[in-house]
Every structure is written in C-alpha cells, then in structure tokens.
Amino acid sequence: MSHFLVVGGGAIGMLTALELRSAGHDVSLFERGETGRESSWAGGGIVSPLFPWRYLDSVTRLASWSQSVYPALCSDLFRHTGVDPELTDCGLLLVAPDEHDAAFAWAREHDRALEAVDRAAFHRLEPQAADPPDKALWMPTVAQVRNPRMVTALRTRLDQLGVALHTASEVRAPSVEGGRCRGVLTGDGATHEADAVVVCAGAWSAGLLADLPAPPAIHPVRGQMLLFRAAPGTITRMVLEASRYVIPRRDGRTLFGSTIEEVGFDKQTTQAARDELHAIATARFPVLADCPVEAHWAGLRPSSPAGVPYIGPHPAIDGLFVNAGHFRNGIVLGPASARLAADLVLGRTPIVDPAPYAWTAARG
C-alpha cells in the first residue's frame, strides 16, 4: 500500500483521491480553503463541452468516457452518502447556425446523437424561448449535474472511505530532493511526505509549480453567473447560444451564465456583468423577468492551451503528477481525468492514450 497526496479539493482533486483510495491506497488531500468551493461550485454542471465539435479529439475522448460512467458514479454517490448529485437528462439546444457541417461531421465521427431542429421544433422543446431560431441543433442525450451537490457528495464519500482531508491547509510547493518529489510543504512550515503527489489545484496549479522546470501553461479566467428563483418546470431544456447558457435545475432554480474575463485572480462580481447577464437572460427567456435573482457569483476557471488538460507525470521529477487545466470542462472531464491520472500514478494500463495530455505535449 502506497501513500499519495492530492493537492486541491475541487471536483478534479476529490475524484482523483477517490480513484486512488478505491484502488486500496492511503490518500491525503490538501485544500487551501474548503473542498469544492472554487470553480467546481461556480460552474454550470453541463456534462458536455460547450459546442463540443470546437474541441480537439483529445477532449472528446475524455468527455465520452466520463459521460459513459456518470450514471453509475452519481448513483453510487447517492447510495453511499444520501446526497443526490441530480444527474438530469434534459438535453441541450445549441444555436450555431454557421457550424452545422462541422457539428454533424463531429457527431458522425464520435457516434453522438445530434439533430437539426427548425423554429417549430425548437419551440416544442423549449416553449419559453422568446425567439426560437429557424436553424438550431439538439443533443437529446446531454445531461447536467447539480455540481454543488456533487462536490458535497464527493466530500462525504471521501470521509467515509478514510481519506485524510486537510482543509484550510495551503500547500506552498512540492518538496523535491534529488530529482524526486518527496511530498509537499504547507503554509505552516510542515513537510508532509508521500510516495507521490498529484497537483489538482485548478487555476492555482501553475503557481504551485512555478519554481520547477516546465510549469504548465494554466491561468485563471473569471466567469460570472446568475441564479434565478423560478418555479419547477418553468424552463425545461438547457440552451446554449454565443457562449451564454441557461440551465434549469429540478427545483426550478435556473442558472444563466457566464462571462469570460481575463482579470487574473480577481474573483469579485461586478454590476456590469450582472446587468449584462440579466439583460440577455430576460431577452432570451422573458419568463425570467418575473423571477428574482437569488444569487450572483464568480469563479476562476483553470484555462489551458486549447482547453486540453495536463494529466501525467512531470518530465524531470519522479513522483510528481498533475491533473489540472480543464478550463470550462472540469465537471464533464473529471471522472475520466481522475481515472487516467490514477492509471498513470499506479502504473496501470491507461483508459485512453495519455500522450495528448502529457506535461510537455503540444496543445492546439
């Protein structure tokens, strides 16, 4: 039995810890704040990349694997913890009138359900849309999870399995001696030893690795979101247009987002973004004008070149691994990324070819 340290307590870090613990190893997880409270909490929970044909096949491969295991994962978490991640197959309508050829080529290559819908079909699928387009796309099998509930369930499950959770415990840097990672140094000056370390710190990953060779090209991108309090069934489908999406939850609460802002590690919300999102949301779905805005928040996505995450061992330091840089796709890529990272840490046959995600692989 080995002892592994996971740095970062978001969905990626907790899923990675779950994989390593489920393989029979001791696992300690370090999180600078509270588990699941950064981008994992702030995002929308769509179990698909947005406009998936725009991404490289390496992203699609991880998404496909994750989508195939999500029902069992959520069922298992619910059964063990009593917290339902609310995996919901509500489908996704996409407005991208100039991209139908690319979308259908992608769907044929990856065997995905994709349909062209006209104005009348769009209206039948989502009657609350103010101006249904005459040329849209429908992905009926795309699901969503309620990501705050999912990360709560993951935290509970890790507790049950005996993973040592160190919250409010900031990792300053990996501890490296003689070309090998021996553990981590924490903000209180302590050194925690392990057989290997997996950095899953999202937008903070590059900073943790900045003093080592070949730090990953990961940086924060802010996204702001609104939550409307609506009655159950007010809006029933997820709709994506021009990088703005609406996501209806089972209880009627409806997300609308999100912005894409290059502002460093500034996680403040802004009145300008609130006004813009509210104006777009109520123009596209007038029913939301009568629904109060219950919350407005921001999160920091871990951007990476072409949105391809870094998953794998450091090229020059034994025992140091990374699983970070998922940009807007941490929830959908999380289960596959965690399994692949665990495969590489444990020397198992990987679920997919790991080359595109390697620390020094070309991206884009």
Side-chain angles (χ1 to χ4, degrees):
M1 180 185 296
S2 298
H3 181 207
F4 301 117
L5 300 185
V6 175
V7 182
I12 299 297
M14 287 195 285
L15 285 164
T16 301
L18 180 61
E19 286 286 348
L20 293 170
R21 182 63 183 145
S22 297
H25 299 281
D26 286 335
V27 181
S28 297
L29 182 147
F30 289 81
E31 165 55 43
R32 58 192 291 275
E34 293 298 321
T35 55
R37 297 298 302 195
E38 294 291 348
S39 61
S40 301
W41 191 279
I46 301 175
V47 187
S48 173
L50 304 184
F51 302 108
W53 55 87
R54 296 179 183 176
Y55 287 89
L56 298 175
D57 285 349
S58 53
V59 172
T60 298
R61 282 192 288 272
L62 292 177
S64 298
W65 196 93
S66 290
Q67 289 161 336
S68 71
V69 304
Y70 247 109
L73 171 65
C74 291
S75 176
D76 185 71
L77 288 172
F78 189 16
R79 184 173 67 255
H80 286 291
T81 70
V83 180
D84 185 1
E86 294 190 4
L87 180 69
T88 305
D89 297 316
C90 58
L92 176 64
L93 283 160
L94 306 100
V95 182
D98 298 328
E99 299 181 46
H100 282 215
D101 289 347
F104 279 103
W106 170 87
R108 287 191 297 271
E109 180 179 357
H110 298 286
D111 193 25
R112 296 302 181 85
L114 180 69
E115 304 169 21
V117 294
D118 60 15
R119 188 184 303 274
F122 194 107
H123 178 72
R124 286 194 298 272
L125 288 164
E126 184 42 68
Q128 295 298 340
D131 186 22
D134 58 10
K135 187 179 182 183
L137 295 165
W138 168 236
M139 298 182 72
T141 62
V142 172
Q144 57 158 300
V145 293
R146 197 160 185 167
N147 37 308
R149 296 182 64 86
M150 180 177 171
V151 293
T152 300
L154 283 169
R155 164 67 187 259
T156 303
R157 187 64 182 135
L158 293 182
D159 267 329
Q160 292 172 341
L161 292 172
V163 172
L165 297 168
H166 301 269
T167 56
S169 183
E170 184 172 7
V171 171
R172 287 168 33 203
S175 175
V176 178
E177 296 178 13
R180 180 168 186 83
C181 183
R182 308 289 179 178
V184 298
L185 305 173
T186 50
D188 58 3
T191 299
H192 302 263
E193 297 184 349
D195 296 292
V197 171
V198 189
V199 175
C200 306
W204 289 265
S205 298
L208 286 173
L209 302 165
D211 294 334
L212 301 177
I218 297 172
H219 72 278
V221 177
R222 186 169 70 189
Q224 299 188 52
M225 184 96 72
L226 299 183
L227 178 67
F228 292 86
R229 180 186 286 275
T234 299
I235 295 173
T236 58
R237 309 295 186 185
M238 295 183 289
V239 182
L240 171 63
E241 180 179 359
S243 293
R244 298 287 192 266
Y245 49 72
V246 66
I247 305 172
R249 302 303 199 199
R250 292 183 187 176
D251 64 2
R253 287 178 171 86
T254 300
L255 295 173
F256 193 85
S258 63
T259 62
I260 300 176
E261 304 170 75
E262 297 277 358
V263 293
F265 284 94
D266 181 357
K267 208 174 70 172
Q268 297 182 85
T269 58
T270 67
Q271 188 64 44
R274 181 189 177 100
D275 292 345
E276 177 193 24
L277 291 171
H278 192 272
I280 297 172
T282 54
R284 292 183 183 173
F285 302 93
V287 68
L288 293 178
D290 296 323
C291 301
V293 174
E294 187 171 82
H296 171 209
W297 64 82
L300 300 177
R301 309 179 188 94
S303 179
S304 59
V308 179
Y310 292 79
I311 309 170
H314 192 281
I317 300 171
D318 291 339
L320 179 60
F321 296 79
V322 69
N323 184 9
H326 297 75
F327 193 36
R328 306 181 82 176
N329 296 315
I331 292 296
V332 62
L333 303 185
S337 297
R339 177 66 63 86
L340 178 58
D343 289 342
L344 296 173
V345 170
L346 300 175
R348 304 184 304 206
T349 300
I351 55 167
V352 297
D353 179 6
Y357 322 101
W359 207 301
T360 55
R363 286 165 167 78

